[in-house]
Amino acid sequence: MHASEKRSAGLGLALGSAFAFGGSGVAAKPLIEAGLDPLHTVWLRVAGSALVMLPLAWRHRDLVRRRPALLAGFGLLAVAGVQACYFAAISRIPVGVALLIEYLAPALVLGWVRFVQRRPVTRAAAVGVVLAVGGLACVVEVWAGLGFDAVGLLLALGAACCQVGYFVLSDQGGGSEHGGDSGQGGDLGQGGDATNRADPLGVIAYGLLVGTAVLTVIARPWAMEWRLLMGSADLGGTRVPAVLLLCWVVLIATVLAYITGVVAVRRLSPQVAGVVACLEAVIATVLAWVLLHEHLSLPQILGGAVVLAGAFIAQSQTPRPPSGPVAGSGTGDGADPAAETQLARERSGS
C-alpha cells in the first residue's frame, strides 16, 4: 500500500474511532434515564467489552506476568475510574459538557509535572493550560453561578483526575522498571527492551477485565433491574430498544472504537491521530444536540472550541515518563506502542 493510501486509510479509521467514541454517552444516557443505574450501565459496557475482547487477552496472556502493574493501573483508573465518573456525570449534566471537562486531563498532567514534580514546562504547554481553563469557564458559564449540577461537574472532573492518576502511576512504574534514568517510559512499552513492550490491544483487553472485576464489587450487578434491558428507552423523543443501545455502547463505542483507534495510530503519526481524537468531543456534542436535544449556548460552543485547542496544545506538550530536563519539549513522530496506549488512555472514559 502506498504511503498516501496508508495515511488516507489511517485518517478514515481515526475519524471512525472518534465517531464511535463520541456516541457512547449519547447511547448510554437514555438507558440511565430509563432507570438503569449509572454504575450498572458502566458495568454492562465494561463487562460486555471484556467478553468480546477475551480472545485478545488470551493472545497476550504473557502481559499478566510481565506487566501486572500496568494492567492493574489501566483497569482501575483508566477503565473503571474514568468510565464510572463519566457515566455518573452525564446522568446529571449534558454529554458535551462532561466530555469537555474530561479534556482538562492533559492540562492537569502538566500541572502535576510543574508543581508536584517541580519540572519546568514549555511556554506552549502553559498557554495550552490557560486556554483549557479559560474555555472551561465559558463551558460551565461561571458568570451565571455554575448553571449545571455541581456534583455532575465534580464527577466529570473526577474522570479527568483518574486519567491523570493513571499517568502518574505509569510515570512511577517507568522509573522503577528501567532504573529511572534510562529516559524511557516503562509503563507503555516504550523502553528499549523490545521484549518488555506491551501491545496496546492486550493492555486494553486486560484493562477491561480488571475494570470488570473492580466494578463488579462496586456496582453489584446482581441487584440490577435486568427487566429494563427488555424494554425501550427514549432517544430524543423516539423509543429505541434498550438492548440495541447497549449493543451500540459495547460493540461500537468501545470494542470497535478502541481497535480502530489503535490501528489508526499505527498508520498515522501520534500527533495527527491526537488531532483527530479531539474531534470526539465535537462529535459527542453534535450527536447530543441532534439526538438528545441538549443544546449549548454560543459562549459554551466557543468555550468548548477553546478547551479543545488548549487540550490539544497541552496534549502535544505532555511528557511521557521522564525523558529529559524540560517537560513538553516534543516527543517525535512515528507510531509506537506507547503512543497507541496513551491515546487509548486519554479516550477511555468516553
Side-chain angles (χ1 to χ4, degrees):
M1 180 181 291
H2 295 296
S4 59
E5 294 178 347
K6 184 177 181 180
R7 284 193 297 270
S8 297
L11 185 59
L13 288 168
L15 288 171
S17 179
F19 182 85
F21 271 121
S24 65
V26 176
K29 188 161 188 173
L31 294 174
I32 296 172
E33 292 180 339
L36 202 60
D37 186 272
L39 277 178
H40 290 160
T41 308
V42 175
W43 183 85
L44 287 169
R45 179 187 189 183
V46 175
S49 302
L51 185 62
V52 174
M53 297 190 72
L54 198 56
L56 283 173
W58 175 256
R59 179 179 180 183
H60 299 286
R61 56 190 179 277
D62 61 314
L63 285 175
V64 177
R65 174 181 53 83
R66 295 193 295 111
R67 313 303 295 278
L70 169 63
L71 302 183
F74 190 84
L76 181 62
L77 293 174
V79 175
V82 173
Q83 294 191 23
C85 288
Y86 174 67
F87 274 34
I90 65 173
S91 69
R92 293 174 171 269
I93 61 178
V95 171
V97 173
L99 198 53
L100 287 169
I101 293 174
E102 196 176 326
Y103 264 77
L104 283 178
L108 293 176
V109 168
L110 287 171
W112 172 273
V113 170
R114 178 66 183 88
F115 297 108
V116 179
Q117 295 185 333
R118 297 187 180 280
R119 294 165 55 203
V121 298
T122 62
R123 291 183 179 178
V127 169
V129 172
V130 171
L131 286 175
V133 174
L136 180 63
C138 294
V139 170
V140 301
E141 295 184 325
V142 291
W143 56 84
L146 293 178
F148 295 114
D149 183 276
V151 175
L153 296 176
L154 288 175
L155 287 167
L157 185 60
C161 290
C162 283
Q163 293 189 29
V164 176
Y166 176 67
F167 177 89
V168 172
L169 289 179
S170 299
D171 193 344
Q172 299 303 320
S176 63
E177 288 183 31
H178 294 305
D181 297 325
S182 65
Q184 302 294 343
D187 63 321
L188 300 176
Q190 194 186 354
D193 183 4
T195 62
N196 201 38
R197 291 183 178 178
D199 186 281
L201 288 177
V203 173
I204 292 168
Y206 275 103
L208 290 168
L209 288 172
V210 172
T212 299
V214 173
L215 289 169
T216 297
V217 176
I218 298 174
R220 298 184 301 169
W222 51 85
M224 187 188 312
E225 295 188 56
W226 293 92
R227 61 178 179 79
L228 293 174
L229 297 178
M230 299 298 104
S232 61
D234 180 58
L235 182 64
T238 302
R239 302 302 297 183
V240 178
V243 69
L244 182 61
L245 292 173
L246 179 60
C247 287
W248 176 277
V249 170
V250 172
L251 299 177
I252 305 299
T254 307
V255 176
L256 182 64
Y258 271 133
I259 292 175
T260 53
V262 168
V263 175
V265 177
R266 289 176 175 174
R267 293 173 178 267
L268 302 169
S269 70
Q271 288 77 7
V272 173
V275 173
V276 178
C278 286
L279 293 177
E280 176 194 337
V282 178
I283 293 170
T285 302
V286 171
L287 289 176
W289 193 314
V290 174
L291 298 177
L292 301 180
H293 307 308
E294 294 183 345
H295 298 171
L296 300 181
S297 65
L298 181 59
Q300 288 175 315
I301 295 173
L302 295 177
V306 174
V307 168
L308 292 179
F312 168 69
I313 295 173
Q315 178 175 291
S316 64
Q317 299 295 319
T318 297
R320 302 222 178 103
S323 58
V326 179
S329 57
T331 58
D333 292 331
D336 56 40
E340 293 162 1
T341 311
Q342 179 182 357
L343 184 61
R345 177 185 70 224
E346 291 162 353
R347 303 170 65 178
S348 58
S350 53

